[in-house]
Amino acid sequence: MLCVVTILDIVQSFSLDKWSGKKCYMVAARDLVIVWADAPNYWKWISLPNSRFEEVAELVSVCWLEIRGKIDTRLLSPSTMYKAYLVFKSTTAAYGFDYQPTEVSVGLIGGAEPTKQTVFLDADRGRTQSYQIVPGRVGIFRRSRILGLQVCQPREINDNQYPKERADGWLEIGLGEFLCEGEEGGELEMTCLQTRGGQWKGGVIVLRH
Protein backbone atom coordinates (compact mmCIF):
# COMPACT_ATOMS: atom_id res chain seq x y z
CA MET A 1 0.00 0.00 0.00
CA LEU A 2 1.35 3.42 -0.92
CA CYS A 3 0.75 6.20 1.54
CA VAL A 4 2.05 9.74 1.45
CA VAL A 5 4.33 11.69 3.75
CA THR A 6 4.54 15.34 2.73
CA ILE A 7 6.50 18.18 4.30
CA LEU A 8 6.25 22.03 4.24
CA ASP A 9 3.61 24.16 6.43
CA ILE A 10 3.88 24.53 10.67
CA VAL A 11 3.03 21.71 12.94
CA GLN A 12 2.57 18.09 12.10
CA SER A 13 -0.72 17.31 10.39
CA PHE A 14 -2.17 13.80 10.62
CA SER A 15 -4.81 12.07 8.50
CA LEU A 16 -5.89 8.59 7.40
CA ASP A 17 -5.71 7.40 3.83
CA LYS A 18 -9.24 7.32 2.43
CA TRP A 19 -8.98 3.82 0.95
CA SER A 20 -6.57 1.95 3.22
CA GLY A 21 -6.93 3.64 6.61
CA LYS A 22 -3.12 3.99 6.77
CA LYS A 23 -1.56 6.93 8.60
CA CYS A 24 -0.46 9.91 6.53
CA TYR A 25 1.53 12.84 7.88
CA MET A 26 2.40 16.34 6.75
CA VAL A 27 5.39 18.03 8.37
CA ALA A 28 5.10 21.82 8.40
CA ALA A 29 7.74 24.20 7.08
CA ARG A 30 8.44 25.40 10.64
CA ASP A 31 9.36 21.82 11.58
CA LEU A 32 11.83 21.52 8.72
CA VAL A 33 15.52 22.29 8.89
CA ILE A 34 15.97 24.99 6.23
CA VAL A 35 19.43 26.52 5.98
CA TRP A 36 19.26 30.30 6.60
CA ALA A 37 15.50 30.10 7.27
CA ASP A 38 15.77 32.76 10.00
CA ALA A 39 17.74 35.19 7.86
CA PRO A 40 15.22 37.61 6.27
CA ASN A 41 17.58 38.35 3.38
CA TYR A 42 17.23 34.71 2.31
CA TRP A 43 13.85 33.45 3.59
CA LYS A 44 10.72 35.00 5.02
CA TRP A 45 7.77 33.49 6.87
CA ILE A 46 4.33 34.39 5.58
CA SER A 47 0.70 33.34 5.99
CA LEU A 48 -1.47 32.22 3.10
CA PRO A 49 -5.27 31.93 3.15
CA ASN A 50 -5.29 28.56 1.36
CA SER A 51 -2.73 26.86 3.60
CA ARG A 52 -3.68 24.47 6.39
CA PHE A 53 -0.72 25.73 8.41
CA GLU A 54 -0.25 29.10 10.07
CA GLU A 55 3.02 29.90 8.29
CA VAL A 56 4.85 28.89 5.15
CA ALA A 57 8.42 29.64 4.11
CA GLU A 58 9.04 31.87 1.08
CA LEU A 59 12.46 31.78 -0.53
CA VAL A 60 13.77 35.30 -1.15
CA SER A 61 17.17 34.47 -2.63
CA VAL A 62 19.87 31.88 -1.86
CA CYS A 63 22.72 30.17 -3.66
CA TRP A 64 22.60 27.19 -1.26
CA LEU A 65 19.21 25.46 -1.01
CA GLU A 66 19.08 22.84 1.75
CA ILE A 67 15.82 21.51 3.21
CA ARG A 68 15.65 18.56 5.59
CA GLY A 69 12.64 16.98 7.29
CA LYS A 70 12.40 14.21 9.89
CA ILE A 71 9.67 11.99 11.26
CA ASP A 72 9.68 9.23 13.89
CA THR A 73 9.02 5.91 12.15
CA ARG A 74 6.98 4.74 15.15
CA LEU A 75 4.27 7.16 14.01
CA LEU A 76 3.92 5.35 10.67
CA SER A 77 1.78 2.34 9.82
CA PRO A 78 3.74 -0.95 9.72
CA SER A 79 4.05 -3.01 6.53
CA THR A 80 3.40 0.12 4.49
CA MET A 81 5.26 1.71 1.60
CA TYR A 82 5.46 5.46 2.12
CA LYS A 83 6.32 8.07 -0.47
CA ALA A 84 7.64 11.49 0.53
CA TYR A 85 6.86 14.70 -1.36
CA LEU A 86 7.94 18.31 -1.18
CA VAL A 87 4.88 20.54 -1.62
CA PHE A 88 5.58 24.05 -2.86
CA LYS A 89 4.42 26.89 -5.09
CA SER A 90 6.30 29.16 -7.48
CA THR A 91 5.69 32.90 -7.36
CA THR A 92 5.56 35.09 -10.46
CA ALA A 93 9.05 36.31 -9.57
CA ALA A 94 10.59 32.83 -9.32
CA TYR A 95 14.02 32.47 -10.91
CA GLY A 96 17.12 30.29 -10.89
CA PHE A 97 15.41 26.86 -10.92
CA ASP A 98 15.16 26.20 -14.65
CA TYR A 99 17.59 23.54 -15.81
CA GLN A 100 19.16 23.25 -12.33
CA PRO A 101 19.31 19.72 -10.83
CA THR A 102 18.20 19.13 -7.24
CA GLU A 103 19.31 16.09 -5.23
CA VAL A 104 16.60 14.45 -3.10
CA SER A 105 16.65 11.41 -0.82
CA VAL A 106 14.69 9.49 1.81
CA GLY A 107 16.26 7.17 4.38
CA LEU A 108 16.73 6.20 8.01
CA ILE A 109 19.24 8.26 9.96
CA GLY A 110 22.11 5.96 10.87
CA GLY A 111 20.80 3.26 8.55
CA ALA A 112 21.84 2.21 5.07
CA GLU A 113 22.88 4.90 2.62
CA PRO A 114 19.66 6.44 1.27
CA THR A 115 18.91 6.22 -2.42
CA LYS A 116 19.48 9.59 -4.03
CA GLN A 117 17.86 10.88 -7.17
CA THR A 118 17.85 14.03 -9.25
CA VAL A 119 14.75 16.17 -9.77
CA PHE A 120 14.03 19.65 -11.11
CA LEU A 121 11.97 22.24 -9.26
CA ASP A 122 11.19 24.42 -12.28
CA ALA A 123 7.43 24.42 -12.67
CA ASP A 124 7.55 24.64 -16.48
CA ARG A 125 9.16 21.17 -16.57
CA GLY A 126 12.57 22.46 -17.59
CA ARG A 127 11.68 22.94 -21.25
CA THR A 128 13.18 26.42 -21.34
CA GLN A 129 16.89 26.98 -20.96
CA SER A 130 18.27 30.11 -19.35
CA TYR A 131 21.74 30.99 -18.22
CA GLN A 132 22.83 33.31 -15.43
CA ILE A 133 25.80 35.60 -15.94
CA VAL A 134 27.50 36.31 -12.61
CA PRO A 135 30.51 38.65 -12.27
CA GLY A 136 33.68 36.75 -11.48
CA ARG A 137 32.29 33.40 -12.62
CA VAL A 138 32.36 31.53 -15.87
CA GLY A 139 29.07 32.05 -17.71
CA ILE A 140 27.40 30.41 -20.68
CA PHE A 141 26.60 32.82 -23.45
CA ARG A 142 24.20 32.46 -26.35
CA ARG A 143 23.68 35.01 -29.09
CA SER A 144 19.92 34.60 -28.98
CA ARG A 145 19.97 35.21 -25.21
CA ILE A 146 21.93 38.44 -25.66
CA LEU A 147 19.40 39.58 -28.26
CA GLY A 148 16.61 39.02 -25.77
CA LEU A 149 15.18 35.90 -27.38
CA GLN A 150 14.01 32.91 -25.35
CA VAL A 151 15.64 29.68 -26.51
CA CYS A 152 13.54 26.52 -26.32
CA GLN A 153 15.58 23.39 -26.77
CA PRO A 154 13.78 20.04 -26.47
CA ARG A 155 15.53 17.44 -24.35
CA GLU A 156 14.63 14.07 -22.99
CA ILE A 157 12.23 14.49 -20.09
CA ASN A 158 11.34 12.03 -17.36
CA ASP A 159 8.00 13.23 -16.01
CA ASN A 160 8.81 11.89 -12.53
CA GLN A 161 11.69 14.36 -12.28
CA TYR A 162 9.42 17.38 -12.53
CA PRO A 163 6.71 18.84 -10.28
CA LYS A 164 3.08 17.92 -10.76
CA GLU A 165 0.17 20.19 -9.96
CA ARG A 166 -2.14 19.01 -7.18
CA ALA A 167 -5.88 19.49 -7.02
CA ASP A 168 -5.37 22.35 -4.54
CA GLY A 169 -3.13 24.25 -6.98
CA TRP A 170 0.15 23.54 -5.17
CA LEU A 171 3.00 21.66 -6.81
CA GLU A 172 4.56 18.46 -5.49
CA ILE A 173 7.78 16.64 -6.30
CA GLY A 174 8.59 13.12 -5.14
CA LEU A 175 11.61 12.77 -2.85
CA GLY A 176 11.69 8.98 -2.58
CA GLU A 177 10.06 5.95 -0.97
CA PHE A 178 10.43 4.15 2.35
CA LEU A 179 9.10 0.74 3.38
CA CYS A 180 8.03 0.87 7.02
CA GLU A 181 8.28 -2.74 8.13
CA GLY A 182 7.21 -1.89 11.66
CA GLU A 183 10.19 -3.45 13.39
CA GLU A 184 12.80 -0.74 13.00
CA GLY A 185 12.73 2.37 15.16
CA GLY A 186 14.41 5.66 14.50
CA GLU A 187 14.01 8.80 12.47
CA LEU A 188 13.25 8.95 8.77
CA GLU A 189 14.99 11.85 7.05
CA MET A 190 13.90 13.47 3.79
CA THR A 191 16.26 15.87 2.01
CA CYS A 192 16.08 18.36 -0.84
CA LEU A 193 19.45 19.86 -1.81
CA GLN A 194 20.55 22.25 -4.53
CA THR A 195 24.01 23.22 -3.33
CA ARG A 196 26.30 22.90 -6.32
CA GLY A 197 27.24 25.53 -8.87
CA GLY A 198 26.43 28.63 -6.81
CA GLN A 199 23.29 29.43 -8.84
CA TRP A 200 21.17 32.06 -7.10
CA LYS A 201 17.47 31.27 -6.92
CA GLY A 202 14.31 32.65 -5.35
CA GLY A 203 10.55 32.96 -5.53
CA VAL A 204 9.47 29.56 -4.18
CA ILE A 205 7.04 29.06 -1.29
CA VAL A 206 7.57 25.89 0.73
CA LEU A 207 4.39 24.55 2.25
CA ARG A 208 5.46 21.23 3.75
CA HIS A 209 7.33 17.93 3.34
Side-chain angles (χ1 to χ4, degrees), residues 57-84:
E58 180 177 353
L59 173 60
V60 178
S61 183
V62 295
C63 62
W64 183 286
L65 179 66
E66 181 174 344
I67 302 174
R68 298 178 182 271
K70 298 177 183 179
I71 189 168
D72 192 330
T73 58
R74 292 174 297 180
L75 297 174
L76 306 178
S77 298
S79 303
T80 301
M81 178 68 78
Y82 280 86
K83 187 168 186 178

Side-chain angles (χ1 to χ4, degrees), residues 13 105 148-149 184 191:
S13 176
S105 68
L149 302 177
E184 72 285 332
T191 67

